[in-house]
Amino acid sequence: MKNKLAVTSILTAITASLCCITPILALIVGTSGVASTFSWIEPFRPYLIGLTILVILFAWYQKLKPQKEIDCECETDEKPKFMQSKTFLGIVTVFAIVTLAFPYYSGIFYPNTEKQIIVVDKSDIKTTEFKISGMTCASCEENVNHEVNKLNGIVNSKASYENGNAIVEFDKTKTNETEIEKAINSTGYKVTDKK
């Protein structure tokens, strides 16, 4: 029973953060188009977090509650297996916490793609807002910024999952809105409008 609780808590913690882990895995593998695959999980994230916490608390309760005394004279000082130990449950708890917090520190896994841009003529700089659907966390933002910054002529890219947009400042002699839109769409998130 206790092993099942540990496995359940690990699975719910991973599932709760899957929408934010996928863009990092996509970047590592080199297939950024699958980054938005699990974005549908985001609305369920609070429930999955709650379930993870409840399962872990119940597992700790089961582990720490006083054991019934056995009325036999047989030896019962058998050492529990590692998978049934407090150490293992502690490892599971730490793993769940690290996994649940992943959206808050996922940005450290993205390489810095910002580059030094020399602007010859300020009149060539254009700022466009791209409305984007499907972003659910900071990891999504980083994925969009990473892909846009790969283009030549990008001065600044600021994606926001909260606002559902990316504001991109670029040199129109080196790139254009169509190329930027293609870069954003290549992440799996979709540009729905641009201003």
Side-chain angles (χ1 to χ4, degrees):
M1 173 74 168
K2 292 171 186 161
N3 288 343
K4 290 179 184 176
L5 291 173
V7 170
T8 302
S9 65
I10 288 172
L11 291 177
T12 55
I14 289 172
T15 304
S17 296
L18 197 58
C19 60
C20 300
I21 293 171
T22 306
I24 299 294
L25 295 176
L27 177 70
I28 292 168
V29 175
T31 56
S32 62
V34 299
S36 66
T37 305
F38 293 102
S39 62
W40 62 271
I41 294 174
E42 177 62 21
F44 303 105
R45 192 167 194 278
Y47 304 108
L48 292 167
I49 290 171
L51 181 61
T52 301
I53 292 168
L54 287 174
V55 169
I56 288 175
L57 288 175
F58 186 70
W60 276 109
Y61 169 76
Q62 291 288 3
K63 181 54 87 183
L64 298 175
K65 75 178 182 181
Q67 300 295 322
K68 294 179 185 174
E69 298 227 2
I70 301 172
D71 289 339
C72 76
E73 295 185 20
C74 52
E75 286 190 34
T76 58
D77 290 337
E78 184 181 311
K79 189 173 182 178
K81 296 177 183 163
F82 177 72
M83 297 280 284
Q84 298 170 338
S85 69
K86 290 178 187 174
T87 304
F88 178 70
L89 189 53
I91 291 169
V92 168
T93 302
V94 169
F95 178 80
I97 291 168
V98 167
T99 305
L100 291 175
F102 186 79
Y104 302 106
Y105 64 84
S106 62
I108 64 173
F109 294 102
Y110 284 94
N112 186 2
T113 54
E114 292 181 18
K115 41 195 175 234
Q116 193 71 16
I117 302 294
I118 299 171
V119 178
V120 177
D121 186 358
K122 285 222 181 245
S123 65
D124 289 336
I125 302 301
K126 184 175 181 181
T127 302
T128 302
E129 178 185 4
F130 296 86
K131 289 290 186 184
I132 304 171
S133 67
M135 292 192 301
T136 58
C137 66
S139 187
C140 302
E141 293 173 355
E142 291 294 332
N143 195 26
V144 168
N145 287 331
H146 177 75
E147 287 301 313
V148 170
N149 281 322
K150 286 181 179 178
L151 298 172
N152 286 326
I154 301 297
V155 176
N156 188 23
S157 174
K158 180 75 173 121
S160 170
Y161 77 92
E162 292 169 340
N163 298 329
N165 70 355
I167 298 173
V168 182
E169 191 176 357
F170 62 97
D171 184 337
K172 61 186 179 186
T173 64
K174 296 180 181 171
T175 193
N176 57 49
E177 292 174 346
T178 305
E179 291 301 312
I180 297 169
E181 185 174 343
K182 283 181 190 175
I184 294 170
N185 288 340
S186 75
T187 63
Y189 311 111
K190 296 293 173 210
V191 173
T192 57
D193 193 21
K194 55 187 168 193
K195 301 177 194 175

